[in-house]
Amino acid sequence: MTNGQTPKKPLWRRTFLWGMPLAGVAGVFIAGIIFWGGFNTAMEATNTKDFCISCHEMGDYVYEEYKGTIHDVNRSGVGAVCSDCHVPKDWTHKIIRKIKASKEVWGKITGKINTPEKFDAHRLQLAMNEWERMKATDSRECRNCHHFDSMMPEFQAPRARQQHLNAMQNGQTCIDCHKGIAHLDVRDRADEAYLETLEAPNPKFAREIPQAYLDSLARVEAKEAAEAEAKKAEEEAQKARIMAAVEAARTDERAKVEAEMSGTATDAGAAEGGNVAPNVDWSAVAASDLTLFYPGQASFEWVQNGKTHGGARPLTKGGDQCTTCHAAEMEAIGTKIVAGGGGKKDELEPTPIPGKRGVIGATVQATHDGENVYFRMQWTDDGHKPAPFVDGGKMDPDNQIKVAMMITGTGIEMGDQVGCWATCHADNTYMPFDPGAEAIAASGDVAAQLKADSTITKYLSESRTKIEIKGRRGKAQGGWDQLKTPEEIDQMLADGSFMDLLRVYADGTAENGYLLESRVQNGGEMAGEANLSPDGTWTVVFSRPLVGGEGDVALEAGKTYTVGFAIHDDFAAARFHHVTLNTSLALDNAEATINVVAQ
């Protein structure tokens, strides 16, 4: 310039940041946007379903398994694609996942998994990689869509409600229970020790139960209780109508009928106390409802095995009772099993009886007089449904019904959780690992000690040196021949480690015994009677001393006992019965399911 000053540089050439002119900054900025946009677009392109299934290993194998699952198509029309489950949403974890996933391309490049056979050989390891990743992140990708804060128990099955409640309280995460929901479930290929470690609760994952969840839970429980009361009222009304009709039809014949049935337990006699409980006023004793369901081949081993029973871990590790998950779904379970289903592979009833009912709704009343305890059970007969695998269709033709009650003693594994289920084993009669008469006869001293010839009765695990639970390497489940010494079993009996067993037959015959190394009939004091009234109602009444003798669990005030009931109806034998889940009983305690009131 003419005045000697240095001319100013154009704005675009002036130094702006770190010696870089504005034009350079603008260029870098624009280039950054272009690069980032291109990079992000390319990365997101790898998150699409079409990209994921573009290689045949994904498209021909896992995608085919995914199609039709709840994550693919559902009533809401919201589907989840590969990246929704396998790629984090936030950028940092997404990049980390992408870097790790680049190693998985090696399997494609080298042909490590390019055939169905090769892929299947590596499938378990691939699944375990994902299980462990999701376990470490509290199933982060699952929670992109599913979150406890948004769960409403009103729209969940009873079992799901309880398990989600347990998950929040104990620190379970989604992948602990939900494996194989979009692809082939290979959980049963994994080692049990590995699964126990993987699925163990993590206290860091525990969370406060949302109030919305608790409110929804209260609403659905109130609704179900009201529905149950309405159903019970309708059943009672229907029964009353039938009784009134029957009574009106036989008014003129009453005297003749009572004369012909003298000396036996008539329906009128039973209603008024009968011969077993002549001084009991049953009308003054409240009745408790019992639901007995058909269990099929669900043994004590089966329920403890995570590969067969989804509730194995909550039962064996969490201390849950059977009723914790199943109290509200026994009808559904029994109906499924009795028709030939049940279990993860519909394995629980290989020999269904056409027409047999899945559940029996019964009532039980209980009272005591300070010396003896009295029980009365009633339920509706369902007619004869012949068993196709037995000549004549009747497994026990001499007994149209049998009723059993078990009272849990002390020192029994999971006794308070499972009740009488602790006596049902996979090698009992008609069970999957029933050894058969030939093997029993060949066992020599074991057969003699058990007094067994062709069948193995129920028994307690405590009476065996070993019980095979998992059936690893093809081993038979159970432990019928792993018997402890007579001295050890005698000590368990003396210590109270047995199941008190009361049985009543259709003719009123009663047996008082116990279950330990086998079913033992010891001639303990007991009385019983049974009858089928013209309206089709069975009434069974039985009694025994409160204290009793050897093999009897003493019933004392201030204690709560776990009991179980079984009904063999329609000439059934062995496992073809209906059973309750764990049920509580106490003397003069309204909090127990069965309150044995003084009278």
Side-chain angles (χ1 to χ4, degrees):
M1 297 182 66
T2 57
N3 58 6
Q5 294 180 348
T6 303
K8 290 185 177 180
K9 296 179 181 179
L11 181 63
W12 58 273
R13 293 183 60 190
R14 295 178 189 174
T15 301
F16 192 72
L17 287 175
W18 303 296
M20 184 180 294
L22 180 61
V25 172
V28 170
F29 181 74
I30 293 171
I33 292 176
I34 295 173
F35 172 79
W36 175 253
F39 175 79
N40 199 55
T41 300
M43 186 171 65
E44 290 304 318
T46 65
N47 282 344
T48 64
K49 180 183 71 177
D50 290 340
F51 177 85
C52 291
I53 64 174
S54 61
C55 68
H56 89 91
E57 286 86 351
M58 296 296 103
D60 296 344
Y61 307 155
V62 293
Y63 178 61
E64 288 300 316
E65 298 164 359
Y66 156 85
K67 287 194 299 186
T69 65
I70 193 67
H71 285 94
D72 178 29
V73 290
N74 51 68
R75 64 181 180 273
S76 64
V78 179
V81 296
C82 314
S83 59
D84 291 325
C85 299
H86 297 288
V87 181
K89 296 295 185 185
D90 65 285
W91 193 85
T92 302
H93 291 104
K94 182 188 297 186
I95 291 296
I96 294 173
R97 176 71 184 118
K98 289 294 183 179
I99 294 172
K100 290 183 177 179
S102 64
K103 296 189 300 182
E104 299 167 9
V105 179
W106 186 249
K108 165 67 175 177
I109 297 173
T110 62
K112 188 176 182 180
I113 54 175
N114 65 347
T115 69
E117 294 76 18
K118 291 180 181 179
F119 190 90
D120 193 65
H122 294 281
R123 180 186 288 274
L124 177 59
Q125 185 58 55
L126 294 171
M128 289 167 63
N129 292 342
E130 280 300 281
W131 297 344
E132 292 165 13
R133 182 182 68 82
M134 299 186 80
K135 177 72 175 189
T137 63
D138 193 12
S139 303
R140 177 175 48 215
E141 283 67 65
C142 298
R143 300 188 191 286
N144 289 332
C145 297
H146 308 283
H147 201 280
F148 288 125
D149 289 337
S150 301
M151 285 186 181
M152 292 289 104
E154 291 164 274
F155 308 108
Q156 295 178 343
R159 187 192 319 178
R161 299 175 207 155
Q162 185 59 50
Q163 291 296 354
H164 288 141
L165 200 62
N166 291 347
M168 287 184 274
Q169 293 172 328
N170 301 326
Q172 296 292 155
T173 191
C174 310
I175 198 62
D176 291 348
C177 299
H178 299 287
K179 299 180 181 69
I181 53 178
H183 305 297
L184 183 68
D185 187 4
V186 293
R187 184 189 186 280
D188 59 354
R189 299 188 190 180
D191 181 74
E192 277 297 314
Y194 166 81
L195 290 171
E196 288 183 8
T197 301
L198 177 74
E199 297 172 356
N202 186 339
K204 294 190 301 183
F205 298 159
R207 50 180 52 81
E208 184 177 352
I209 302 171
Q211 188 59 46
Y213 192 97
L214 296 174
D215 293 342
S216 177
L217 185 61
R219 287 194 297 269
V220 70
E221 288 179 344
K223 178 183 176 182
E224 290 175 346
E227 291 173 347
E229 285 297 321
K231 181 179 179 181
K232 180 181 179 181
E234 175 57 30
E235 291 173 347
E236 291 295 327
Q238 183 178 6
K239 183 177 179 180
R241 290 193 295 269
I242 295 173
M243 288 292 289
V246 171
E247 187 65 24
R250 69 187 187 116
T251 298
D252 295 337
E253 300 294 326
R254 183 179 296 278
K256 179 179 178 180
V257 171
E258 290 181 349
E260 291 176 352
M261 298 181 67
S262 62
T264 65
T266 68
D267 58 304
E272 296 167 1
N275 300 319
V276 171
N279 299 320
V280 172
D281 178 12
W282 290 113
S283 65
V285 181
S288 299
D289 294 323
L290 296 178
T291 298
L292 298 93
F293 75 103
Y294 187 80
Q297 293 187 340
S299 65
F300 193 34
E301 290 78 19
W302 186 90
V303 300
Q304 295 180 75
N305 193 337
K307 293 184 178 180
T308 54
H309 178 216
R313 178 183 37 75
L315 177 72
T316 59
K317 304 299 182 183
D320 285 359
Q321 296 180 325
C322 296
T323 50
T324 303
C325 293
H326 301 304
E329 55 184 24
M330 286 188 283
E331 183 172 356
I333 294 173
T335 300
K336 184 175 183 179
I337 295 176
V338 79
K344 293 185 176 180
K345 299 179 180 178
D346 285 337
E347 73 276 13
L348 289 182
E349 184 45 86
T351 54
I353 300 173
K356 190 176 182 70
R357 56 182 163 178
V359 294
I360 295 176
T363 60
V364 60
Q365 296 164 277
T367 184
H368 73 93
D369 57 14
E371 294 184 3
N372 297 295
V373 60
Y374 305 90
F375 297 94
R376 182 169 81 156
M377 289 184 65
Q378 292 184 303
W379 72 94
T380 302
D381 187 65
D382 193 43
H384 181 45
K385 309 295 190 300
F389 48 85
V390 175
D391 290 341
K394 299 177 180 179
M395 285 175 276
D396 184 0
D398 296 330
N399 293 287
Q400 185 174 352
I401 60 103
K402 298 187 291 287
V403 170
M405 176 182 178
M406 289 191 204
I407 308 173
T408 305
T410 60
I412 296 174
E413 181 186 14
M414 292 185 277
D416 292 337
Q417 297 170 247
V418 304
C420 60
W421 224 280
T423 68
C424 180
H425 293 277
D427 48 12
N428 292 152
T429 307
Y430 286 112
M431 295 295 273
F433 298 96
D434 179 350
E438 185 175 340
I440 295 172
S443 67
D445 292 343
V446 173
Q449 189 176 343
L450 293 175
K451 298 181 176 60
D453 48 19
S454 60
T455 62
I456 298 299
T457 66
K458 296 176 183 293
Y459 60 85
L460 286 176
S461 299
E462 283 71 18
S463 65
R464 267 55 179 181
T465 58
K466 181 182 179 181
I467 295 289
E468 178 60 38
I469 301 294
K470 308 300 182 182
R472 295 188 179 95
R473 295 179 293 279
K475 292 182 180 179
Q477 293 179 337
W480 72 273
D481 56 348
Q482 305 298 311
L483 200 58
K484 289 184 178 179
T485 66
E487 292 76 18
E488 290 174 301
I489 292 174
D490 288 344
Q491 186 60 53
M492 284 186 285
L493 179 61
D495 293 339
S497 298
F498 57 84
M499 283 279 192
D500 190 353
L501 175 63
L502 310 172
R503 288 162 62 99
V504 182
Y505 297 84
D507 63 357
T509 304
E511 294 178 348
N512 186 359
Y514 63 88
L515 274 161
L516 185 49
E517 77 278 21
S518 62
R519 186 171 64 234
V520 178
Q521 301 172 13
N522 64 349
E525 187 177 348
M526 180 183 174
E529 58 190 16
N531 73 87
L532 178 62
S533 67
D535 75 315
T537 299
W538 278 102
T539 299
V540 174
V541 181
F542 55 98
S543 69
R544 53 147 274 198
L546 283 170
V547 177
E550 184 180 75
D552 290 335
V553 173
L555 300 179
E556 304 174 10
K559 293 185 178 181
T560 299
Y561 303 86
T562 299
V563 301
F565 294 87
I567 296 177
H568 288 78
D569 73 333
D570 191 19
F571 308 97
R575 68 170 181 80
F576 295 90
H577 55 6
H578 293 77
V579 297
T580 61
L581 295 179
N582 54 288
T583 305
S584 60
L585 176 146
L587 303 185
D588 303 302
N589 183 351
E591 294 183 1
T593 303
I594 301 175
N595 181 16
V596 186
V597 296
Q599 188 176 114

